[in-house]
Amino acid sequence: MGHVAILGVFVADTTFNADRQPRMGETILGNSFTLGPGGKGSNQAVAAGRAGGEAHFVARIGRDAFGDMARKVWAEAGVTPAVIDSDEATGAAMIFIEAGSGDNAIIVVPGAAGGITPADVEARADVIGGASVFITQLEQPMDAAMRGLEIAREGGAATILNPAPAAELPEGMLSLCDYITPNETEAEALSGIAVRDLTSARAAADALLAMGVAKAVIVTLGAQGVLYHDRDRSVPVPAITAGPVVETTGAGDAFNGAFATGLAEGMDPVAAARFGCACAGLSVTRPGAAASMPTRAEIDKLL
Ligand code: ADP
Ligand code: NA
């Protein structure tokens, strides 16, 4: 089994719970605060590492307290950092949660990780080109993601793009992707087809295959699981329930990290998607994102 290379962003999630948002110029007292590791790429690396994968994480990271937090969470998950140290501050997300409704409003500052360049990615070509599976997302600059996909392709890695958050893709990016893993919103943003159920997910997946995705489109459908769709078969993979749902933050990251690990182990992609659903199904029964990623033993027991 080869390793999984993940290119992405780490930020510290600072979460504030208050009865309402402050108005400009106003200071209010909130109810609670938590600080924890975040960033889609880092969460996916943690999911992959805990799911039993040999995960290597490529990112830019600041030499500061949030950077230390990142290194600690990777070490605990068995993730090997392939990071570029930066004098910029490690990024952070300010997550406001409204008490009662649970609605949120978020500011993300990618900081050091957002400044990663194609040259930085090339400096980690050994890790990326030598992987059996490469995965990236869209929180870091598009040119860095593109360079990562190119290097992975040249090295013979299977490539996965998790196109989150939704964004317009540069010309040629989709044809560098063996697999693409949009959620409903992202599938709609990329294909122009509103995704509400399996039928509309199939239509969006067909559109993405026609736009150049090499092997398969995996649309994640929240509590409905995922649709695995390639040119020969279209297979719904149901969500796997592991208990009462506590917090779905990071469910997509759990799915992606475990899906990549499954592929790296040589699983058939539908089996890897099922493995991803088990990992995500466990993660939603626990609070937090990185903190909620299950171990391999827990996933195997559920399957
Ligand atoms: P994202 O977080 O990126 O929007 P989804 O909401 O589609 O991603 O969730 C990703 C995966 O997590 C789903 O395909 C499913 O396997 C799992 N999942 C999400 N919500 C639930 C849930 N309520 N119960 C069980 N599994 C879930
Ligand atoms: Na969770």
Side-chain angles (χ1 to χ4, degrees):
M1 164 185 135
H3 71 261
V4 178
I6 302 100
L7 167 66
V9 162
F10 169 90
V11 293
D13 282 346
T14 67
T15 305
F16 298 77
N17 182 296
D19 294 342
R20 62 176 177 81
Q21 276 180 282
R23 285 186 298 275
M24 190 54 64
E26 184 190 26
T27 299
I28 63 170
L29 289 179
N31 304 318
S32 63
F33 171 79
T34 59
L35 171 64
K40 290 178 195 298
S42 178
N43 289 344
Q44 291 175 16
V46 167
R50 289 183 61 87
E54 188 193 332
H56 294 247
F57 186 51
V58 179
R60 244 166 128 252
I61 192 92
R63 297 180 182 88
D64 52 21
F66 286 169
D68 294 342
M69 182 204 291
R71 289 176 189 282
K72 185 162 171 269
V73 73
W74 300 332
E76 284 166 0
V79 174
T80 306
V83 301
I84 298 105
D85 290 307
S86 166
D87 290 328
E88 272 178 80
T90 302
M94 191 207 79
I95 303 166
F96 162 74
I97 297 182
E98 187 180 70
S101 72
D103 289 344
N104 62 54
I106 301 177
I107 302 176
V108 182
V109 178
I116 195 165
T117 64
D120 289 330
V121 174
E122 278 158 24
R124 295 294 176 272
D126 50 342
V127 170
I128 294 171
S132 52
V133 175
F134 170 77
I135 182 165
T136 193
Q137 321 74 31
L138 301 176
E139 284 185 326
Q140 74 284 18
M142 214 49 100
D143 57 358
M146 190 83 169
R147 195 71 194 103
L149 289 164
E150 286 167 357
I151 293 168
R153 257 297 163 80
E154 284 158 21
T159 55
I160 308 170
L161 176 65
N162 173 225
E168 204 172 307
L169 303 182
E171 186 76 35
M173 188 182 248
L174 282 180
S175 40
L176 291 170
C177 303
D178 292 314
Y179 301 96
I180 185 168
T181 58
N183 67 11
E184 289 144 302
T185 312
E186 294 143 10
E188 177 170 348
L190 292 172
S191 70
I193 294 166
V195 176
R196 279 177 238 94
D197 51 20
L198 282 173
T199 308
S200 47
R202 285 199 168 101
D206 271 331
L208 288 168
L209 287 172
M211 286 161 73
V213 173
K215 289 195 176 135
V217 178
I218 297 98
V219 184
T220 69
L221 301 162
Q224 294 181 75
V226 308
L227 174 70
Y228 172 87
H229 190 89
D230 68 21
R231 288 177 180 79
D232 302 317
R233 54 184 179 158
S234 186
V235 185
V237 180
I240 300 179
T241 305
V245 175
V246 170
E247 192 194 319
T248 59
T249 317
D253 296 334
F255 174 83
N256 277 281
F259 175 67
T261 296
L263 285 184
E265 288 186 11
M267 287 182 200
D268 168 89
V270 173
R274 196 161 168 268
F275 187 68
C277 284
C279 179
L282 283 157
S283 78
V284 301
T285 65
R286 301 166 188 168
S292 72
M293 300 306 176
T295 63
R296 178 55 171 264
E298 290 171 320
I299 298 172
D300 284 345
K301 196 170 160 219
L302 185 64
L303 287 170

PDB file of all heavy atoms in Angstrom, residues 151-170:
ATOM      1  N   ILE A 151       1.467  17.293 -10.798  1.00  0.00           N
ATOM      2  CA  ILE A 151       2.605  16.510 -10.295  1.00  0.00           C
ATOM      3  C   ILE A 151       2.149  15.099  -9.908  1.00  0.00           C
ATOM      4  O   ILE A 151       2.834  14.109 -10.183  1.00  0.00           O
ATOM      5  CB  ILE A 151       3.266  17.234  -9.087  1.00  0.00           C
ATOM      6  CG1 ILE A 151       3.927  18.532  -9.555  1.00  0.00           C
ATOM      7  CG2 ILE A 151       4.276  16.329  -8.390  1.00  0.00           C
ATOM      8  CD1 ILE A 151       4.352  19.459  -8.422  1.00  0.00           C
ATOM      9  N   ALA A 152       0.974  15.008  -9.311  1.00  0.00           N
ATOM     10  CA  ALA A 152       0.439  13.698  -8.920  1.00  0.00           C
ATOM     11  C   ALA A 152       0.212  12.828 -10.153  1.00  0.00           C
ATOM     12  O   ALA A 152       0.574  11.652 -10.191  1.00  0.00           O
ATOM     13  CB  ALA A 152      -0.871  13.887  -8.147  1.00  0.00           C
ATOM     14  N   ARG A 153      -0.373  13.430 -11.186  1.00  0.00           N
ATOM     15  CA  ARG A 153      -0.614  12.730 -12.451  1.00  0.00           C
ATOM     16  C   ARG A 153       0.685  12.200 -13.066  1.00  0.00           C
ATOM     17  O   ARG A 153       0.792  11.040 -13.459  1.00  0.00           O
ATOM     18  CB  ARG A 153      -1.262  13.687 -13.450  1.00  0.00           C
ATOM     19  CG  ARG A 153      -2.729  13.508 -13.644  1.00  0.00           C
ATOM     20  CD  ARG A 153      -3.042  12.137 -14.213  1.00  0.00           C
ATOM     21  NE  ARG A 153      -4.439  11.811 -14.041  1.00  0.00           N
ATOM     22  CZ  ARG A 153      -5.412  12.264 -14.816  1.00  0.00           C
ATOM     23  NH1 ARG A 153      -5.157  13.069 -15.813  1.00  0.00           N
ATOM     24  NH2 ARG A 153      -6.650  11.899 -14.586  1.00  0.00           N
ATOM     25  N   GLU A 154       1.692  13.109 -13.122  1.00  0.00           N
ATOM     26  CA  GLU A 154       2.988  12.720 -13.703  1.00  0.00           C
ATOM     27  C   GLU A 154       3.599  11.562 -12.932  1.00  0.00           C
ATOM     28  O   GLU A 154       4.241  10.685 -13.502  1.00  0.00           O
ATOM     29  CB  GLU A 154       3.971  13.916 -13.689  1.00  0.00           C
ATOM     30  CG  GLU A 154       3.674  14.951 -14.760  1.00  0.00           C
ATOM     31  CD  GLU A 154       4.261  16.338 -14.429  1.00  0.00           C
ATOM     32  OE1 GLU A 154       5.206  16.427 -13.612  1.00  0.00           O
ATOM     33  OE2 GLU A 154       3.732  17.331 -14.978  1.00  0.00           O
ATOM     34  N   GLY A 155       3.372  11.538 -11.617  1.00  0.00           N
ATOM     35  CA  GLY A 155       3.940  10.490 -10.776  1.00  0.00           C
ATOM     36  C   GLY A 155       3.120   9.208 -10.768  1.00  0.00           C
ATOM     37  O   GLY A 155       3.511   8.223 -10.147  1.00  0.00           O
ATOM     38  N   GLY A 156       1.950   9.235 -11.411  1.00  0.00           N
ATOM     39  CA  GLY A 156       1.135   8.022 -11.475  1.00  0.00           C
ATOM     40  C   GLY A 156       0.180   7.831 -10.310  1.00  0.00           C
ATOM     41  O   GLY A 156      -0.403   6.757 -10.135  1.00  0.00           O
ATOM     42  N   ALA A 157      -0.016   8.875  -9.480  1.00  0.00           N
ATOM     43  CA  ALA A 157      -0.983   8.768  -8.370  1.00  0.00           C
ATOM     44  C   ALA A 157      -2.411   8.876  -8.916  1.00  0.00           C
ATOM     45  O   ALA A 157      -2.648   9.564  -9.905  1.00  0.00           O
ATOM     46  CB  ALA A 157      -0.740   9.887  -7.364  1.00  0.00           C
ATOM     47  N   ALA A 158      -3.353   8.197  -8.251  1.00  0.00           N
ATOM     48  CA  ALA A 158      -4.773   8.452  -8.518  1.00  0.00           C
ATOM     49  C   ALA A 158      -5.086   9.813  -7.901  1.00  0.00           C
ATOM     50  O   ALA A 158      -4.656  10.105  -6.781  1.00  0.00           O
ATOM     51  CB  ALA A 158      -5.634   7.377  -7.877  1.00  0.00           C
ATOM     52  N   THR A 159      -5.798  10.669  -8.642  1.00  0.00           N
ATOM     53  CA  THR A 159      -6.062  12.030  -8.158  1.00  0.00           C
ATOM     54  C   THR A 159      -7.527  12.212  -7.780  1.00  0.00           C
ATOM     55  O   THR A 159      -8.428  11.762  -8.493  1.00  0.00           O
ATOM     56  CB  THR A 159      -5.683  13.074  -9.232  1.00  0.00           C
ATOM     57  OG1 THR A 159      -6.382  12.757 -10.443  1.00  0.00           O
ATOM     58  CG2 THR A 159      -4.180  13.075  -9.505  1.00  0.00           C
ATOM     59  N   ILE A 160      -7.732  12.889  -6.646  1.00  0.00           N
ATOM     60  CA  ILE A 160      -9.094  13.206  -6.177  1.00  0.00           C
ATOM     61  C   ILE A 160      -9.161  14.709  -5.952  1.00  0.00           C
ATOM     62  O   ILE A 160      -8.311  15.277  -5.272  1.00  0.00           O
ATOM     63  CB  ILE A 160      -9.416  12.529  -4.829  1.00  0.00           C
ATOM     64  CG1 ILE A 160      -9.132  11.029  -4.861  1.00  0.00           C
ATOM     65  CG2 ILE A 160     -10.871  12.802  -4.420  1.00  0.00           C
ATOM     66  CD1 ILE A 160      -9.206  10.366  -3.480  1.00  0.00           C
ATOM     67  N   LEU A 161     -10.190  15.348  -6.512  1.00  0.00           N
ATOM     68  CA  LEU A 161     -10.472  16.748  -6.181  1.00  0.00           C
ATOM     69  C   LEU A 161     -11.752  16.799  -5.371  1.00  0.00           C
ATOM     70  O   LEU A 161     -12.807  16.348  -5.824  1.00  0.00           O
ATOM     71  CB  LEU A 161     -10.621  17.602  -7.446  1.00  0.00           C
ATOM     72  CG  LEU A 161     -11.026  19.063  -7.188  1.00  0.00           C
ATOM     73  CD1 LEU A 161      -9.940  19.819  -6.420  1.00  0.00           C
ATOM     74  CD2 LEU A 161     -11.354  19.786  -8.497  1.00  0.00           C
ATOM     75  N   ASN A 162     -11.657  17.325  -4.154  1.00  0.00           N
ATOM     76  CA  ASN A 162     -12.853  17.643  -3.364  1.00  0.00           C
ATOM     77  C   ASN A 162     -13.101  19.143  -3.609  1.00  0.00           C
ATOM     78  O   ASN A 162     -12.384  19.978  -3.049  1.00  0.00           O
ATOM     79  CB  ASN A 162     -12.566  17.343  -1.881  1.00  0.00           C
ATOM     80  CG  ASN A 162     -13.692  17.797  -0.976  1.00  0.00           C
ATOM     81  OD1 ASN A 162     -13.447  18.403   0.068  1.00  0.00           O
ATOM     82  ND2 ASN A 162     -14.911  17.530  -1.353  1.00  0.00           N
ATOM     83  N   PRO A 163     -14.043  19.488  -4.498  1.00  0.00           N
ATOM     84  CA  PRO A 163     -14.156  20.876  -4.964  1.00  0.00           C
ATOM     85  C   PRO A 163     -14.872  21.782  -3.960  1.00  0.00           C
ATOM     86  O   PRO A 163     -15.911  22.362  -4.268  1.00  0.00           O
ATOM     87  CB  PRO A 163     -14.939  20.722  -6.268  1.00  0.00           C
ATOM     88  CG  PRO A 163     -15.837  19.547  -5.999  1.00  0.00           C
ATOM     89  CD  PRO A 163     -15.068  18.618  -5.099  1.00  0.00           C
ATOM     90  N   ALA A 164     -14.275  21.902  -2.771  1.00  0.00           N
ATOM     91  CA  ALA A 164     -14.893  22.656  -1.691  1.00  0.00           C
ATOM     92  C   ALA A 164     -13.917  23.688  -1.136  1.00  0.00           C
ATOM     93  O   ALA A 164     -12.745  23.378  -0.972  1.00  0.00           O
ATOM     94  CB  ALA A 164     -15.293  21.694  -0.564  1.00  0.00           C
ATOM     95  N   PRO A 165     -14.385  24.934  -0.852  1.00  0.00           N
ATOM     96  CA  PRO A 165     -15.732  25.430  -1.114  1.00  0.00           C
ATOM     97  C   PRO A 165     -15.966  25.622  -2.618  1.00  0.00           C
ATOM     98  O   PRO A 165     -15.023  25.715  -3.388  1.00  0.00           O
ATOM     99  CB  PRO A 165     -15.761  26.774  -0.378  1.00  0.00           C
ATOM    100  CG  PRO A 165     -14.334  27.213  -0.314  1.00  0.00           C
ATOM    101  CD  PRO A 165     -13.518  25.955  -0.234  1.00  0.00           C
ATOM    102  N   ALA A 166     -17.258  25.673  -2.988  1.00  0.00           N
ATOM    103  CA  ALA A 166     -17.633  25.770  -4.397  1.00  0.00           C
ATOM    104  C   ALA A 166     -16.935  26.947  -5.058  1.00  0.00           C
ATOM    105  O   ALA A 166     -16.885  28.048  -4.495  1.00  0.00           O
ATOM    106  CB  ALA A 166     -19.148  25.932  -4.519  1.00  0.00           C
ATOM    107  N   ALA A 167     -16.359  26.725  -6.214  1.00  0.00           N
ATOM    108  CA  ALA A 167     -15.670  27.788  -6.960  1.00  0.00           C
ATOM    109  C   ALA A 167     -15.615  27.388  -8.420  1.00  0.00           C
ATOM    110  O   ALA A 167     -15.774  26.209  -8.752  1.00  0.00           O
ATOM    111  CB  ALA A 167     -14.246  27.968  -6.425  1.00  0.00           C
ATOM    112  N   GLU A 168     -15.388  28.375  -9.270  1.00  0.00           N
ATOM    113  CA  GLU A 168     -15.215  28.089 -10.692  1.00  0.00           C
ATOM    114  C   GLU A 168     -13.816  27.509 -10.891  1.00  0.00           C
ATOM    115  O   GLU A 168     -12.851  28.000 -10.299  1.00  0.00           O
ATOM    116  CB  GLU A 168     -15.379  29.380 -11.487  1.00  0.00           C
ATOM    117  CG  GLU A 168     -15.783  29.132 -12.922  1.00  0.00           C
ATOM    118  CD  GLU A 168     -16.124  30.446 -13.631  1.00  0.00           C
ATOM    119  OE1 GLU A 168     -16.960  31.205 -13.101  1.00  0.00           O
ATOM    120  OE2 GLU A 168     -15.520  30.690 -14.697  1.00  0.00           O
ATOM    121  N   LEU A 169     -13.702  26.456 -11.703  1.00  0.00           N
ATOM    122  CA  LEU A 169     -12.409  25.783 -11.869  1.00  0.00           C
ATOM    123  C   LEU A 169     -11.686  26.318 -13.096  1.00  0.00           C
ATOM    124  O   LEU A 169     -12.313  26.642 -14.107  1.00  0.00           O
ATOM    125  CB  LEU A 169     -12.615  24.283 -12.036  1.00  0.00           C
ATOM    126  CG  LEU A 169     -13.377  23.584 -10.914  1.00  0.00           C
ATOM    127  CD1 LEU A 169     -13.467  22.083 -11.189  1.00  0.00           C
ATOM    128  CD2 LEU A 169     -12.700  23.836  -9.565  1.00  0.00           C
ATOM    129  N   PRO A 170     -10.349  26.379 -13.020  1.00  0.00           N
ATOM    130  CA  PRO A 170      -9.601  26.791 -14.211  1.00  0.00           C
ATOM    131  C   PRO A 170      -9.722  25.750 -15.325  1.00  0.00           C
ATOM    132  O   PRO A 170      -9.933  24.561 -15.044  1.00  0.00           O
ATOM    133  CB  PRO A 170      -8.162  26.899 -13.720  1.00  0.00           C
ATOM    134  CG  PRO A 170      -8.090  26.285 -12.393  1.00  0.00           C
ATOM    135  CD  PRO A 170      -9.482  26.089 -11.874  1.00  0.00           C
TER     136      PRO A 170
END
